[in-house]
Amino acid sequence: MNLIKNLFFVAISFIVIVSSVLYLYLANAKKDIDLKVKSRNNIVLKYLKENMSDPVLQSDFAKINSIFDYIIKEKNTKKVELEYKKYVFTKNMLLQKSDNIDDDSWLIGDVTTDIRFGEISELNDGIYEFVHDKNFDFDELLNIKFQSMKARQVQNSVSKIKFYKQISMMSNEKENDVLPDWFLDMTYIKTGVIDVSIWAEKENLGIVGFEIDNYEIYVEEFLFFKQLVVYSIIAFFIVLIIAFLVIRFFDRRNVLKSLMDMAKFSEHIVNNKFMRIDEKKIKIKEAKLLATSLNKVSVKIASLTNELNVSKDLIEQKSDVDDLTQLPNQKAFEFDMKKMFVSGSKGYILILKIDNLKSMVEKIGASKADELIRDFASTINNMVLKINKTNIAIYRFYGSEFAIIAKKTDGEEIRKISQKILNSLKDLPEKFNIDDNLIHIGATPFDPHGTVESILNMANVAYDKAVKDSPNSYCIVSEKYIEKKKEKLEKFVLDIINNKKVNVKYLNDTYLLDNPDEIIMQEAVPNLVNDNKEEIAIGVFITIAKENNLDLEFDKLIILSAINHIKDKKIKHKIAVNLAIESIAKEDFMQWLKAELLQNKEIADKIVFSITSFSASQNKDLFNSFVNYIHKVGAKIILKRYSNDEISIEELENIDLDYIRVGKDYTLDINQDSEKRQMIRNLSIFGNINDVHIMGDEIKFEKDYETVKKFGFYATSR
């Protein structure tokens, strides 16, 4: 009787867990489907805006049908329809369809048609509009008469052009042979026709309406749900079998105690607190088997939950894109700048700003101001793409501020590009009825010995000078200035390293979240201040040291300082030491490091070697090898400034980390950003399951502090 009772208890507990997970999935499935539908709508919308203008303007019906056929077949579109607002044609089109002209070098004039069919007027140079009579038969070709002139020849010509009231295309209806009605009832999202206006030469030529076929999205969500159910059923029977063996053959009191512990573990899973049962504390063999199975169930459910969240993140894919202009944003800019530092690229950085945007908003309104920003961005982006698609990119930071990275360019090219930008925007003030003084540009050479902040600061200084100089102007920092700056820095770096003048401070105190008075880690930070009391950024210092083959010596000085500090001060907490990824690639340096740690093995576990998430992501195999190497000699590893964009949580599972310090951006205003909260929650789950301590970095606001504490962070600096 007790056997049946206890098995029933285990079964009910497991059913509660699985039911909760399935319910949570179904509760979120509708939101995920809505996100996917919107994502597909945006893809088709963007494609139509980019590809329809020219075919409609040229009345290229074959091209229009080709575009419709493409989005029907490749973009899962159910229906697409073009309704004309204006019937236009071009000079080239008339000449191509002429009965007696064989090239488009002729001039044309006196373009007319039979008054019974309608009237023709010229909209712009070489572009004409046909306004049809109400009785015009769209099934017939329209005869258009015109005079053709070339040199001293004049000919009367006729072209026959076909116009349509509307053009539409539909896909074949798909039979629902997969989705049950109850799933559709719980997740159905009502969708309709999306309209997009087609513009060319500042004229609204028509409206394209389309409707996405969402059947595959529902099928994808349902199949994922079925997979979750199958895993849960398999796990259920495994748990029942193992529970039967444990209860059947071992002492009732010990078994019940183990089951109660596992019931608490089940409650944690229900509450999305994924962790491991400590199998070492369980003495009964069969109970250990049950704990192992439940741990696997926890990992699997956590993994499936993470897959769902990762899928949602992939759909959104908007963290690096500005919503208004669809240009890469400041986050993308900073990432590309980091890659330039790593690869040693050359080029220029430009800062562009729309002047007096605030007063413009007051004058023309927020909606028109947004349109101005979009036109501004589109104009410059199109111009940049014509110049160079691979080495020049434009980014929008915020408000009126934009930036450009121009690789493999020199000062003269930047002058030409800056002038082309100014020229391309000269029509915007008249279009939006604003002041002619619209834009200034500041440019600086990319300084491989600088930082993102220092380079932007230099570009902004140049921008300020351009503002003072004249309206709609630019200013470029000379390369000689950068070279002089490098010479001074190089002299300082050589003096510090060669004469062993490194002064190390121990900063960034990190405290346990469960005990805010207990410090668990500090960071060894070199105090790099020159004779003018100016602080030199560590990245700049390392770059110059590397150019002079002194980077390894500098790393050695910091490590020795940390070892002596721990021994002399009898430090009990951890000391983090930053290492460059290039250093750990050198065999002689690694041999030296191993010897030092073995010689000081009594304090080796107090040293935590720190590598940035970005560096690790660019050198994954090397980083993994270093992690394993360091653990063999007793030291620890921390991955700092962690970003999910650089290393995914799934990739972290293959790295034997001790600590992860999350980038500051992820823990700033967490409660205002659902994407941040989801990433932090997933990372905390990963840490609990894999025994990795997750830490914050300089969390200043109390709300953010309480949130990461609730999510299960281990510690943070303030």
Side-chain angles (χ1 to χ4, degrees):
M1 190 67 185
N2 286 333
L3 176 62
I4 296 174
K5 180 180 177 181
N6 291 327
L7 283 176
F8 179 76
F9 173 77
V10 173
I12 292 298
S13 298
F14 193 87
I15 289 171
V16 168
I17 296 171
V18 173
S19 299
S20 300
V21 171
L22 296 178
Y23 175 79
L24 288 172
Y25 171 78
L26 288 174
N28 285 300
K30 191 169 184 178
K31 294 180 181 178
D32 295 332
I33 290 171
D34 187 41
L35 282 173
K36 291 180 180 179
V37 170
K38 289 179 179 177
S39 176
R40 287 193 174 181
N41 282 341
N42 288 336
I43 290 171
V44 175
L45 193 69
K46 181 180 179 183
Y47 182 82
L48 289 172
K49 284 184 176 180
E50 292 176 350
N51 294 279
M52 281 294 291
S53 296
D54 190 59
V56 173
L57 179 63
Q58 299 292 341
S59 293
D60 188 345
F61 303 116
K63 180 65 174 177
I64 292 172
N65 282 320
S66 174
I67 291 171
F68 283 7
D69 185 62
Y70 174 75
I71 65 173
I72 287 286
K73 293 179 179 178
E74 302 297 329
K75 302 298 182 182
N76 295 299
T77 305
K78 184 187 298 183
K79 176 184 178 183
V80 60
E81 180 177 276
L82 168 63
E83 181 178 343
Y84 282 88
K85 293 295 183 183
K86 289 187 176 181
Y87 297 92
V88 299
F89 54 91
T90 63
K91 165 203 164 188
N92 290 343
M93 183 178 173
L94 280 179
L95 292 172
Q96 290 169 6
K97 295 182 178 294
S98 170
D99 59 349
N100 58 353
I101 303 296
D102 57 2
D103 66 70
D104 58 4
S105 63
W106 292 68
L107 299 177
I108 68 170
D110 194 21
V111 181
T112 62
T113 189
D114 194 316
I115 193 67
R116 292 175 301 164
F117 303 143
E119 297 181 351
I120 293 176
S121 60
E122 186 172 9
L123 294 177
N124 294 309
D125 186 21
I127 297 176
Y128 301 86
E129 178 184 7
F130 169 58
V131 180
H132 66 81
D133 186 79
K134 64 181 180 180
N135 296 320
F136 177 66
D137 186 358
F138 281 91
D139 292 330
E140 299 293 331
L141 293 173
L142 177 67
N143 290 330
I144 299 177
K145 302 174 182 178
F146 60 95
Q147 282 191 338
S148 307
M149 294 157 280
K150 181 177 180 182
R152 295 184 179 182
Q153 300 178 58
V154 178
Q155 294 194 31
N156 291 319
S157 303
V158 176
S159 291
K160 294 185 178 183
I161 296 179
K162 174 72 174 178
F163 289 108
Y164 295 86
K165 266 191 175 181
Q166 63 181 31
I167 302 174
S168 63
M169 190 177 292
M170 297 180 66
S171 66
N172 296 326
E173 285 291 332
K174 296 179 180 178
E175 293 186 8
N176 178 17
D177 53 359
V178 176
L179 300 172
D181 292 339
W182 62 265
F183 185 81
L184 288 172
D185 291 340
M186 294 187 69
T187 59
Y188 180 70
I189 299 291
K190 185 177 181 181
T191 58
V193 176
I194 306 296
D195 290 332
V196 54
S197 295
I198 305 302
W199 291 78
E201 302 293 337
K202 301 181 182 180
E203 298 290 338
N204 186 358
L205 305 183
I207 294 176
V208 176
F210 66 90
E211 185 175 359
I212 293 295
D213 185 351
N214 302 320
Y215 178 73
E216 290 182 4
I217 296 176
Y218 287 97
V219 170
E220 180 185 337
E221 293 289 336
F222 179 67
L223 292 178
F224 186 87
F225 175 77
K226 283 179 64 177
Q227 183 185 25
L228 193 61
V229 172
V230 170
Y231 277 122
S232 301
I233 292 172
I234 294 172
F236 173 74
F237 284 107
I238 292 174
V239 169
L240 278 185
I241 293 170
I242 297 175
F244 172 81
L245 294 174
V246 171
I247 298 170
R248 178 71 177 80
F249 292 103
F250 291 93
D251 179 73
R252 181 177 180 276
R253 184 178 60 184
N254 291 333
V255 171
L256 285 176
K257 183 180 183 303
S258 298
L259 288 175
M260 290 301 295
D261 291 338
M262 293 174 195
K264 291 180 181 178
F265 172 73
S266 301
E267 291 178 6
H268 286 311
I269 296 178
V270 171
N271 294 321
N272 283 333
K273 295 180 180 178
F274 299 100
M275 58 184 66
R276 285 182 179 272
I277 298 175
D278 190 352
E279 298 165 17
K280 295 178 182 178
K281 293 181 179 180
I282 301 175
K283 305 301 181 184
I284 303 171
K285 181 180 178 181
E286 280 72 13
K288 281 188 177 183
L289 291 174
L290 177 58
T292 300
S293 295
L294 284 176
N295 279 335
K296 290 179 180 178
V297 170
S298 174
V299 171
K300 193 63 185 180
I301 293 175
S303 176
L304 288 172
T305 304
N306 283 336
E307 283 180 23
L308 183 61
N309 293 326
V310 168
S311 177
K312 181 163 63 178
D313 290 340
L314 290 174
I315 293 164
E316 292 176 356
Q317 286 186 341
K318 61 182 182 179
S319 61
D320 292 343
V321 177
D322 174 60
D323 290 335
L324 180 62
T325 63
Q326 298 303 303
L327 292 175
N329 60 16
Q330 187 167 3
K331 183 178 178 182
F333 171 84
E334 291 174 355
F335 184 79
D336 290 345
M337 285 283 282
K338 287 179 183 177
K339 290 199 290 187
M340 289 183 71
F341 282 115
V342 171
S343 62
S345 300
K346 294 183 179 181
Y348 275 74
I349 309 302
L350 291 76
I351 289 294
L352 310 81
K353 297 181 185 179
I354 301 174
D355 296 325
N356 304 314
L357 181 61
K358 184 177 179 181
S359 61
M360 291 182 192
V361 173
E362 294 174 354
K363 180 179 179 181
I364 65 177
S367 178
K368 275 289 184 182
D370 285 347
E371 185 181 346
L372 167 64
I373 292 172
R374 282 194 295 268
D375 281 8
F376 180 91
S378 175
T379 301
I380 298 176
N381 191 42
N382 290 337
M383 189 274 294
V384 164
L385 289 175
K386 289 179 181 178
I387 296 174
N388 193 314
K389 291 184 178 181
T390 56
N391 291 325
I392 305 178
I394 179 172
Y395 308 78
R396 185 190 181 210
F397 285 4
Y398 51 84
S400 64
E401 187 168 355
F402 294 76
I404 290 177
I405 294 179
K407 299 177 185 176
K408 300 179 182 179
T409 53
D410 57 28
E412 184 58 33
E413 288 178 288
I414 293 302
R415 287 185 180 86
K416 292 178 180 178
I417 291 171
S418 299
Q419 191 58 55
K420 284 183 178 180
I421 291 173
L422 296 177
N423 293 341
S424 68
L425 299 169
K426 62 184 180 181
D427 294 333
L428 286 185
E430 181 179 351
K431 178 179 178 180
F432 290 93
N433 191 25
I434 56 177
D435 187 76
D436 288 339
N437 189 16
L438 177 65
I439 176 179
H440 288 87
I441 304 171
T444 182
F446 174 76
D447 182 4
H449 311 100
T451 63
V452 174
E453 293 76 14
S454 68
I455 293 173
L456 283 178
N457 183 59
M458 189 65 66
N460 276 300
V461 169
Y463 167 83
D464 291 337
K465 187 175 186 304
V467 171
K468 293 177 182 177
D469 286 349
S470 61
N472 295 321
S473 61
Y474 60 87
C475 176
I476 304 173
V477 176
S478 70
E479 293 183 1
K480 290 183 179 179
Y481 176 83
I482 303 298
E483 291 172 2
K484 289 181 180 179
K485 181 182 174 184
K486 178 191 172 183
E487 290 175 3
K488 292 180 181 179
L489 286 171
E490 192 171 72
K491 183 178 179 182
F492 171 73
V493 171
L494 294 177
D495 179 54
I496 290 291
I497 298 177
N498 289 331
N499 296 307
K500 296 181 171 56
K501 292 182 179 180
V502 179
N503 176 26
V504 179
K505 293 184 177 181
Y506 296 89
L507 308 174
N508 299 335
D509 298 353
T510 301
Y511 296 90
L512 285 174
L513 282 162
D514 289 341
N515 184 5
D517 295 326
E518 183 179 347
I519 185 170
I520 58 104
M521 188 180 295
Q522 288 181 306
E523 183 177 348
V525 180
N527 185 30
L528 305 172
V529 180
N530 63 19
D531 295 337
N532 296 325
K533 307 300 180 185
E534 298 170 336
E535 186 172 351
I536 307 302
I538 184 64
V540 175
F541 191 95
I542 292 294
T543 301
I544 295 179
K546 194 183 305 177
E547 290 180 357
N548 290 274
N549 297 318
L550 291 173
D551 50 322
L552 298 183
E553 291 303 315
F554 180 70
D555 282 344
K556 290 178 181 179
L557 291 174
I558 303 299
I559 293 169
L560 291 174
S561 174
I563 291 173
N564 292 331
H565 176 69
I566 294 170
K567 293 167 69 174
D568 295 344
K569 302 293 184 181
K570 296 181 171 53
I571 300 298
K572 301 298 181 185
H573 54 264
K574 311 293 184 186
I575 298 295
V577 177
N578 297 307
L579 281 182
I581 201 75
E582 292 81 3
S583 296
I584 68 176
K586 302 291 176 58
E587 181 63 27
D588 56 344
F589 174 81
M590 294 302 294
Q591 291 297 328
W592 174 89
L593 181 60
K594 178 181 179 181
E596 288 295 329
L597 291 174
L598 291 176
Q599 186 178 344
N600 297 278
K601 59 183 178 182
E602 72 280 2
I603 57 98
D605 65 338
K606 298 290 190 298
I607 300 177
V608 182
F609 290 104
S610 176
I611 303 288
T612 66
S613 173
F614 179 79
S615 295
S617 70
Q618 301 297 304
N619 303 271
K620 292 177 182 176
D621 292 339
L622 175 62
F623 178 64
N624 282 345
S625 299
F626 177 69
V627 170
N628 297 330
Y629 188 94
I630 286 302
H631 283 152
K632 289 178 182 178
V633 291
K636 305 292 184 183
I637 288 288
I638 182 171
L639 186 67
K640 76 171 187 176
R641 293 203 289 272
Y642 172 72
S643 169
N644 191 43
D645 296 331
E646 295 166 351
I647 302 178
S648 69
I649 292 177
E650 287 72 17
E651 290 175 306
L652 290 177
E653 293 179 357
N654 300 318
I655 309 173
D656 186 18
L657 294 169
D658 300 294
Y659 304 91
I660 295 176
R661 193 184 291 276
V662 181
K664 296 177 185 178
D665 289 345
Y666 283 108
T667 55
L668 179 62
D669 293 331
I670 309 172
N671 295 300
Q672 306 301 318
D673 192 322
S674 60
E675 190 175 344
K676 286 184 183 179
R677 286 200 307 277
Q678 191 61 59
M679 198 287 287
I680 292 298
R681 182 182 290 112
N682 290 345
L683 189 61
S684 297
I685 293 171
F686 163 81
N688 287 332
I689 292 175
N690 294 279
D691 297 325
V692 179
H693 295 308
I694 310 300
M695 303 194 297
D697 189 8
E698 295 184 14
I699 299 178
K700 300 185 182 302
F701 298 112
E702 196 63 29
K703 285 185 177 180
D704 295 334
Y705 182 87
E706 291 300 326
T707 299
V708 300
K709 183 177 181 181
K710 181 180 69 174
F711 283 163
F713 269 37
Y714 174 67
T716 187
S717 57
R718 298 299 297 267

